[in-house]
Amino acid sequence: MSRRALLQHNSGEWHGLFIRLDHTGVEQTRFNTVLRVQEEGELVVAALTDCSTGQTRTMRFGDIPAAMQVDPAGHWSLGPDPFTPWNWNHELCLTVGQQRRRLIVRGNSGGLQSLVMVQEARAGVQLTDPEMPLRCSINSQGDYHCWSLLPNLRMVLDGRNCSLQWQQASGTWLAITRQYGADGALLALPSSAETGAAHPAGWPH
């Protein structure tokens, strides 16, 4: 089911913009990409090309990796299992029709070190590039950090848990959250990607 949902919603060609931010939320660099996701025999192949350099990085897998979580709508997350504070990274993706939003978050025991925001669309779908340089606002209270990346896109980092939230035209907030237990073990995905719909900007607090 997970592999079928992943391919149903994420296969094909995606034209993207990667924006890398430092730990203060200030843009460091950006570049355009083309991502091709397809089945080749028993394998899922994802090939990402950096349009500025022409270099392509390819990932191949058969079964869904144990540390990858995919929900029926094709939203997914990838990261460590179990979680350890010394060196961690999360990748989260929300897929809605012809568009996707992704985050790649890296950190260590000192906290978040860098974040890459990715907006992607299928060929022919035009996206507006964010202002340059991008500077996001950060609301921090203890272990809770809410990064407002764009008016309709935010990341919530709450201890070892990480959430990507994307507001739709209807006003509904879609969310995918990667959660860990007190022992660092990966917890199951919440039952609905629309859990953010009933919560204000502070969710999850």
Side-chain angles (χ1 to χ4, degrees):
M1 173 61 190
S2 293
R3 175 174 163 143
R4 184 165 66 250
L6 181 72
L7 287 168
Q8 178 183 347
H9 297 279
N10 295 276
S11 61
E13 183 174 289
W14 299 91
H15 293 251
L17 175 67
F18 277 55
I19 300 179
R20 188 182 309 277
L21 308 169
D22 65 12
H23 68 282
T24 67
V26 177
E27 177 178 340
Q28 301 301 299
T29 185
R30 67 172 62 188
F31 55 92
N32 293 104
T33 60
V34 176
L35 173 68
R36 295 178 178 87
V37 181
Q38 59 189 349
E39 280 188 292
E40 293 183 5
E42 297 298 315
L43 297 178
V44 176
V45 180
L48 179 71
T49 300
D50 180 337
C51 296
S52 63
T53 65
Q55 294 183 331
T56 298
R57 291 181 297 170
T58 302
M59 179 176 70
R60 296 178 173 85
F61 59 87
D63 295 330
I64 295 292
M68 188 176 199
Q69 294 183 314
V70 183
D71 83 353
H75 312 308
W76 55 268
S77 76
L78 188 63
D81 184 19
F83 180 94
T84 58
W86 300 281
N87 185 23
W88 51 268
N89 61 83
H90 303 303
E91 185 169 357
L92 302 102
C93 178
L94 289 169
T95 305
V96 181
Q98 304 298 302
Q99 297 189 39
R100 305 199 312 175
R101 297 294 184 270
R102 287 198 282 150
L103 292 181
I104 304 164
V105 192
R106 301 185 185 281
N108 54 34
S109 57
L112 185 149
Q113 300 301 310
S114 69
L115 183 148
V116 179
M117 182 188 79
V118 186
Q119 60 177 33
E120 294 172 309
R122 298 192 185 278
V125 177
Q126 296 297 317
L127 297 179
T128 301
D129 288 351
E131 63 181 24
M132 184 177 183
L134 181 65
R135 298 174 184 270
C136 76
S137 62
I138 305 173
N139 173 23
S140 296
Q141 300 175 28
D143 287 338
Y144 169 88
H145 309 277
C146 180
W147 289 48
S148 297
L149 299 157
L150 298 171
N152 66 348
L153 193 72
R154 64 196 181 207
M155 178 200 69
V156 172
L157 193 64
D158 193 358
R160 61 191 65 194
N161 304 321
C162 189
S163 176
L164 168 61
Q165 303 171 20
W166 180 15
Q167 188 177 36
Q168 303 302 294
S170 64
T172 297
W173 284 90
L174 294 183
I176 185 164
T177 303
R178 195 163 179 88
Q179 298 177 310
Y180 293 88
D183 59 354
L186 181 64
L187 303 179
L189 278 172
S191 59
S192 171
E194 293 192 6
T195 47
H199 297 267
W203 179 84
H205 204 287

